[in-house]
Amino acid sequence: MQTKAFLMSWLRPGSGWLCLDHRISQVRSKTSFARLSTTVTQQRKSLVVLGTGWSSYSVIKTIDKKLFDLIVVSPRNHFLFTPLLASTTVGTLEFRSIIEPVRNTSFREPGHFHFSFTTGLDTTKQEVFCKSVIKPDLEYSISYDKLVIGVGALTNTFGVPGVEEHAFFLKEIADARRIRNRIVNNYELAVQTNTDHLERGRLLHIVIVGGGPTGVEFGAELYDFIEEDVSRLYQKLKGQAKVTLVESNKILSSFDGRLQSYAEKKLKQREGFEMIRSSVVEVTKDSVKLKNGTVIPCGLVVWSTGLAPRAFTTALNFPKNKNGQILTDKFFRVKDEPSGSIFAIGDCADIEDMTLPCTAQVAEREGRYLGKFLNSGCDEKECGPFRFSSMGMLTYIGHYHAITETPQVKFKGITSWLVWRSAYLTRLGSWRLRMQVPLDWLKTVLFGRDISRLE
């Protein structure tokens, strides 16, 4: 009954996501601009949302567009369902099956999404400064009545030499696409007749740095690809592929100890899969160097080790915590910002005296709450401060096994894998995605993974 209750909690309707853009100050005529400004001022306040990640997308889906003139600014014109990103790196899912275009959201004005970077902020004039992604020399400003900062964060390299130049990250569709191309390139090179034994071993060795959910799930997808597709498509290479997971502490440290041990045991049982407890001190074009001096030759390094603030967040003159996140109160208002009109949510922000993990679940709930808070006219009594209770954590560990931890139950194995797939399927941002993802899973079962190289 507990498992059923958990599943039903995932199936309840209503989620949210997205981010916002803006109206450009260039207009056809001064008269029409004045008329538009007067109308907007009288009827709706201008709400500018920065970013299109989990937190911002949730605000966009929740906000009442009859009350706010919604404007989104982001260098990414889609929402990305990140929990399934690892599945796209080996062709289990296709890239477009886990993204939802921002313009599919019901903007009242079609020009209110800006495909641009946010480069700065003037809190006195209440303006954000933007630079076009498509035309970098096009710079302009956007005024706001209320501003939501949800720009997310970057992968933390911890200053390790060579990471920026030679390692691959896994945060965006472009990252997954580059990883898939590198895997295909390495396998195609490995089967060519002039590739010697040592070079073949290096090409087929993939190193994953970081034992959190992203690193483990990427390793799990790789294992399934090697077991189910390499033996079929690259018969000459069967049994030669190797995956090494490097983690300085315990893998999946946020999970219960018994689930950690189960996941570690399953991973160690797999042929060609090795786990090393150490830290990386250097990454080169064709190897990884560990703290103990060991050098691991490899053809691909995927780096997944914590978060670091974006340059835009770092440049803001707001109070921040030791990790560079913007400090807010429990209503997500930026601390010590006198106007009370600037809010920060998601991975770029931290609630003072209430630090939460940087997960999709947290960001989505924050965005949904903030949308309701803004809809209420920022009525603290009506909404109350933000509260968070975890619905649980799920991680896929390969070969149709997963681990699940909820406040009520903890379970593992094939049952957990079914929960993992069901939960993520119901949380996708649209019915279009909920149709595409099962079709991709079915195609993988029937025909294998698509390993086409994409330019």
Side-chain angles (χ1 to χ4, degrees), residues 51-300:
T52 49
W54 283 82
S55 60
S56 298
Y57 190 39
S58 187
V59 171
I60 294 170
K61 299 286 280 189
T62 307
I63 202 71
D64 187 343
K65 297 167 185 68
K66 294 179 182 179
L67 298 176
F68 291 96
D69 187 31
L70 179 62
I71 300 159
V72 178
V73 182
S74 177
R76 187 179 76 185
N77 70 348
H78 58 266
F79 165 75
L80 170 63
F81 192 82
T82 50
L84 292 177
L85 184 59
S87 298
T88 67
T89 59
V90 293
T92 305
L93 295 176
E94 282 310 312
F95 302 119
R96 293 195 179 277
S97 295
I98 62 168
I99 61 176
E100 183 67 22
V102 175
R103 290 192 181 276
N104 284 357
T105 307
S106 56
F107 285 102
R108 287 169 63 104
E109 291 79 11
H112 275 24
F113 172 75
H114 290 252
F115 194 25
S116 299
F117 297 99
T118 306
T119 58
L121 170 64
D122 187 329
T123 57
T124 304
K125 295 182 179 180
Q126 291 193 291
E127 291 181 337
V128 291
F129 303 106
C130 308
K131 177 187 291 187
S132 171
V133 171
I134 301 169
K135 190 178 180 182
D137 61 343
L138 174 60
E139 299 184 357
Y140 57 95
S141 64
I142 297 171
S143 61
Y144 65 84
D145 293 313
K146 294 190 181 296
L147 175 68
V148 176
I149 302 172
V151 296
L154 301 171
T155 301
N156 199 338
T157 67
F158 297 100
V160 175
V163 174
E164 291 282 0
E165 297 82 3
H166 305 298
F168 289 66
F169 305 112
L170 188 53
K171 286 187 70 66
E172 303 288 348
I173 283 291
D175 298 330
R177 187 169 176 168
R178 285 192 288 267
I179 290 171
R180 187 196 287 195
N181 282 346
R182 173 60 69 89
I183 291 171
V184 173
N185 285 353
N186 287 355
Y187 271 87
E188 295 298 338
L189 278 173
V191 295
Q192 291 183 353
T193 55
N194 60 342
T195 303
D196 61 39
H197 177 71
L198 288 177
E199 177 64 3
R200 183 179 297 114
R202 183 190 71 81
L203 289 169
L204 300 180
H205 192 171
I206 297 174
V207 174
I208 304 168
V209 184
T214 299
V216 169
E217 289 192 341
F218 173 63
E221 293 289 348
L222 273 176
Y223 173 77
D224 289 349
F225 168 67
I226 293 168
E227 285 289 300
E228 299 169 11
D229 295 272
V230 169
S231 58
R232 175 176 59 88
L233 300 170
Y234 300 95
Q235 296 181 20
K236 180 181 176 181
L237 305 178
K238 186 176 180 180
Q240 298 184 48
K242 187 174 181 181
V243 178
T244 298
L245 177 64
V246 181
E247 168 58 51
S248 59
N249 200 352
K250 290 185 176 181
I251 66 166
L252 302 174
S253 58
S254 57
F255 280 82
D256 174 78
R258 288 172 296 177
L259 294 178
Q260 286 180 37
S261 299
Y262 174 81
E264 190 169 340
K265 178 183 175 182
K266 284 293 182 182
L267 294 175
K268 286 180 176 178
Q269 288 175 349
R270 291 166 185 170
E271 182 181 355
F273 200 105
E274 181 183 8
M275 288 189 291
I276 297 177
R277 184 169 294 181
S278 183
S279 55
V280 174
V281 295
E282 186 180 4
V283 177
T284 68
K285 183 180 179 181
D286 53 13
S287 68
V288 166
K289 185 177 181 181
L290 304 183
K291 189 175 182 179
N292 61 9
T294 302
V295 176
I296 306 174
C298 56
L300 169 65

Side-chain angles (χ1 to χ4, degrees), residues 412-431:
K412 55 189 182 293
I414 294 176
T415 302
S416 180
W417 171 75
L418 291 172
V419 171
W420 177 81
R421 282 209 164 177
S422 301
Y424 285 165
L425 183 61
T426 61
R427 304 303 290 179
L428 287 164
S430 69
W431 282 107

